[in-house]
Amino acid sequence: MRALSQVKPALLFLMLVCTSATASPLADSVLRASPIDEIIAQYPAMMSQGVREGLKQSGRVEPFVANTISNVVSNAFSVAQIRAQVVEDLNQGLSDQQLNSVLAWYETPLAEKISRAEVAASRPAAWKKVEAAATDLQEKYEGSERAKLFERFDRAARATESTVDTTVAVQLGLASAMAAFNGSKGPTFEQLQQKIESQRGMLRGMVAQQVYVGYLYTYEELSTSELKDYVEFLESDAGSAFTRVATSSIQRSITDPVESVGSQLTRFFNPQ
């Protein structure tokens, strides 16, 4: 289990947010206008990088093997399929009025500014920058109105909740790899899965602090007034429905392929 403990909770709270997209033009337009469309495209690389780092830190596999496994993980996640599922779920879960309200918000200059910030901060290359700035950011905003606004943001954006789910998905991907690599000599995927799920409470505590730092980093260029406007959108009927449906859809789309990762790796390590 040491390898699993080495996987840091990714600062991926920005990622909150099956028919073809042409069957639902309004939902497709909403997704294109939101930052989620660009962020979804980063999921395969994010999952792959999380597994690769966990394997290398474990010290139990050669770098070449870790890279091979991470490539299998990356290929298990289809951006097109994730996107199509989100479009379908938005079409089914939101009314046209709600979708139009969300679209109108994302077409505003403020929303465009926020979207650029969220996409930039969600890239894996930005994670180390966020971690490096953590102490300074927390000291800078301690006791500020921006810091006090975080609780509302976190609740409305489902930020910590979604990041825990995403982190669990990364760890399950790593568990699949470790179970396949160990074969009959180590714990099964089911045993590792049970262990990971039992640690959700502890994981939430770790993630919450990282989500807070990510929030401070991502929206630092926004004024407090602008940040309040964004939180009010997230708390609105349309914004809340959009966040809830998109978040649930993405989490399901990245969790479902985990078992296929395990079966592919089992064939790789234990060819018949």
Side-chain angles (χ1 to χ4, degrees):
M1 294 304 297
R2 181 175 179 275
L4 301 183
S5 68
Q6 293 294 326
V7 181
K8 296 180 180 179
L11 298 174
L12 299 173
F13 69 98
L14 300 164
M15 298 182 174
L16 302 178
V17 195
C18 198
T19 60
S20 67
T22 55
S24 181
L26 181 55
D28 182 67
S29 295
V30 169
L31 188 61
R32 288 182 184 278
S34 79
I36 293 177
D37 204 24
E38 291 188 57
I39 292 172
I40 284 175
Q42 300 180 47
Y43 263 104
M46 178 275 293
M47 299 294 290
S48 175
Q49 181 172 326
V51 170
R52 182 189 298 111
E53 290 182 355
L55 289 170
K56 288 183 177 179
Q57 290 170 4
S58 74
R60 298 179 61 186
V61 299
E62 295 295 327
F64 170 76
V65 175
N67 290 334
T68 300
I69 292 173
S70 69
N71 288 335
V72 172
V73 171
S74 178
N75 292 333
F77 297 91
S78 166
V79 171
Q81 289 179 5
I82 295 174
R83 190 184 188 285
Q85 186 63 62
V86 174
V87 169
E88 175 64 12
D89 288 345
L90 288 174
N91 187 51
Q92 295 294 326
L94 275 72
S95 66
D96 285 354
Q97 182 178 356
Q98 289 174 318
L99 288 171
N100 278 312
S101 293
V102 174
L103 182 60
W105 158 260
Y106 277 116
E107 290 177 340
T108 64
L110 175 57
E112 291 176 357
K113 179 180 179 180
I114 291 170
S115 294
R116 288 194 298 270
E118 290 182 343
V119 170
S122 71
R123 295 192 176 103
W127 298 351
K128 290 185 178 180
K129 295 180 181 179
V130 177
E131 290 182 333
T135 300
D136 290 342
L137 286 170
Q138 292 178 85
E139 292 178 353
K140 180 178 179 179
Y141 292 107
E142 184 177 5
S144 68
E145 189 173 4
R146 182 178 298 259
K148 295 174 183 177
L149 192 60
F150 172 70
E151 187 175 342
R152 282 178 59 192
F153 167 84
D154 190 32
R155 182 169 54 251
R158 300 164 63 90
T160 298
E161 176 186 345
S162 297
T163 307
V164 169
D165 287 341
T166 302
T167 304
V168 167
V170 173
Q171 292 188 335
L172 288 174
L174 179 55
S176 292
M178 294 301 295
F181 181 75
N182 291 330
S184 60
K185 299 178 181 178
T188 65
F189 171 72
E190 289 73 19
Q191 291 171 326
L192 293 173
Q193 181 180 32
Q194 185 177 12
K195 178 70 173 179
I196 291 168
E197 292 292 348
S198 71
Q199 295 176 339
R200 271 185 180 268
M202 178 183 69
L203 189 59
R204 182 179 179 82
M206 295 170 58
V207 165
Q209 186 61 32
Q210 293 195 358
V211 170
Y212 174 60
V213 173
Y215 156 86
L216 294 177
Y217 177 91
T218 303
Y219 306 112
E220 189 169 24
E221 298 303 315
L222 270 64
S223 67
T224 303
S225 177
E226 289 175 326
L227 193 51
K228 283 183 177 178
D229 287 344
Y230 183 34
V231 172
E232 287 174 1
F233 162 71
L234 293 173
E235 292 175 335
S236 69
D237 173 69
S240 175
F242 175 72
T243 299
R244 173 178 49 79
V245 172
T247 299
S248 176
S249 182
I250 291 172
Q251 296 305 329
R252 189 170 64 254
S253 295
I254 65 174
T255 301
D256 288 348
V258 166
E259 288 192 20
S260 71
V261 170
S263 61
Q264 290 179 59
L265 290 173
T266 297
R267 290 194 295 272
F268 176 79
F269 288 119
N270 302 287
Q272 299 297 322

